[in-house]
Amino acid sequence: EDKVVQSPLSLVVHEGDTVTLNCSYEVTNFRSLLWYKQEKKAPTFLFMLTSSGIEKKSGRLSSILDKKELSSILNITATQTGDSAIYLCAVEELGSSGSARQLTFGSGTQLTVLP
Amino acid sequence: DAGVTQSPTHLIKTRGQHVTLRCSPISGHKSVSWYQQVLGQGPQFIFQYYEKEERGRGNFPDRFSARQFPNYSSELNVNALLLGDSALYLCASSLLFSSPDTQYFGPGTRLTVL
């Protein structure tokens, strides 16, 4: 069965710390890996990584895809209290009918940044 | 531009009842997907619709059904509700079907089954 595993499940840090969140996957027809931030309800998109784009950076956030190890990391430097959220990793794969857009999510990492 | 909208925001039902959840995608988006997120877990894929046709289905029982209308809005129907159906139901829209695009999520409908 296809699956996406995130670690750690939860993390508590202080402002200014650097954190690394991990995501490993095992899917049949990998297409892309996405990271989302979920603060209350709607997950908001952070990054999409594909075979042609294995490293992305935006401000204090960056992510790398390791297709050989079937994993990805999300780094957040100089953390702020506003970074407190659940970070979700999702893998997009092609369905059996040729459909795309089917995302398999991990359970998320709950990040808490203390002042 | 308005984002993805969902209604209602919250809903309380009892076991055995039926529920209909609604989603309006971002203007111009033709693909809508539905996800169920149980507390403490990541969202789980239920359906994807594109151009009014079902293009993908997750591992959910036949009590779950959906449809997409000519204006690309969508409904998710759940029959014979069970306690385990209590969850946040998320709708996501995307512009294209098979391109490396991104999905944009709505705020969700919180369903509580008593």
Side-chain angles (χ1 to χ4, degrees):
Chain A
E1 184 177 307
D2 297 339
K3 57 183 179 181
V4 178
V5 179
Q6 293 186 243
S7 64
L9 292 180
S10 65
L11 193 55
V12 180
V13 299
H14 287 91
E15 273 192 319
D17 288 349
T18 293
V19 298
T20 298
L21 311 182
N22 302 286
C23 175
S24 63
Y25 61 91
E26 191 176 326
V27 299
T28 306
N29 298 306
F30 175 87
R31 191 177 180 95
S32 65
L33 184 144
L34 299 94
W35 284 96
Y36 290 87
K37 178 181 182 182
Q38 187 174 29
E39 293 178 84
K40 289 185 179 178
K41 285 190 174 180
T44 54
F45 171 77
L46 294 175
F47 297 118
M48 181 170 73
L49 303 159
T50 66
S51 299
S52 57
I54 61 173
E55 188 167 352
K56 294 286 178 72
K57 181 176 172 63
S58 176
R60 297 178 294 103
L61 277 67
S62 62
S63 183
I64 298 173
L65 175 68
D66 187 336
K67 285 209 69 179
K68 185 177 178 182
E69 297 296 326
L70 305 185
S71 65
S72 175
I73 60 171
L74 175 67
N75 283 316
I76 308 175
T77 60
T79 52
Q80 303 171 357
T81 55
D83 295 327
S84 296
I86 296 173
Y87 290 84
L88 294 165
C89 169
V91 173
E92 179 191 11
E93 55 185 322
L94 284 172
S96 56
S97 61
S99 64
R101 308 283 92 188
Q102 180 170 332
L103 297 180
T104 300
F105 283 84
S107 295
T109 293
Q110 172 73 64
L111 174 66
T112 302
V113 181
L114 301 175
Chain B
D1 276 345
V4 179
T5 59
Q6 292 185 243
S7 63
T9 305
H10 296 88
L11 202 52
I12 298 175
K13 292 284 190 178
T14 56
R15 281 179 298 175
Q17 286 189 311
H18 162 91
V19 68
T20 297
L21 311 180
R22 296 177 175 83
C23 170
S24 293
I26 291 172
S27 177
H29 284 196
K30 298 181 178 181
S31 178
V32 169
S33 296
W34 286 95
Y35 293 84
Q36 180 196 64
Q37 187 175 22
V38 174
L39 193 63
Q41 297 181 19
Q44 188 172 358
F45 173 75
I46 310 176
F47 287 110
Q48 185 206 6
Y49 277 77
Y50 179 75
E51 289 283 15
K52 301 178 288 293
E53 291 186 7
E54 180 182 307
R55 296 300 188 102
R57 184 184 185 111
N59 189 24
F60 279 80
D62 291 343
R63 299 185 296 108
F64 288 77
S65 63
R67 55 179 175 168
Q68 187 177 34
F69 298 99
N71 66 354
Y72 303 111
S73 67
S74 177
E75 281 183 357
L76 175 70
N77 295 285
V78 187
N79 293 322
L81 285 168
L82 303 174
L83 296 179
D85 295 331
S86 294
L88 180 67
Y89 288 84
L90 295 164
C91 170
S93 76
S94 58
L95 181 60
L96 298 173
F97 174 68
S98 58
S99 298
D101 198 359
T102 57
Q103 292 191 3
Y104 294 87
F105 284 85
T109 294
R110 172 72 64 188
L111 172 65
T112 301
V113 182
L114 302 176

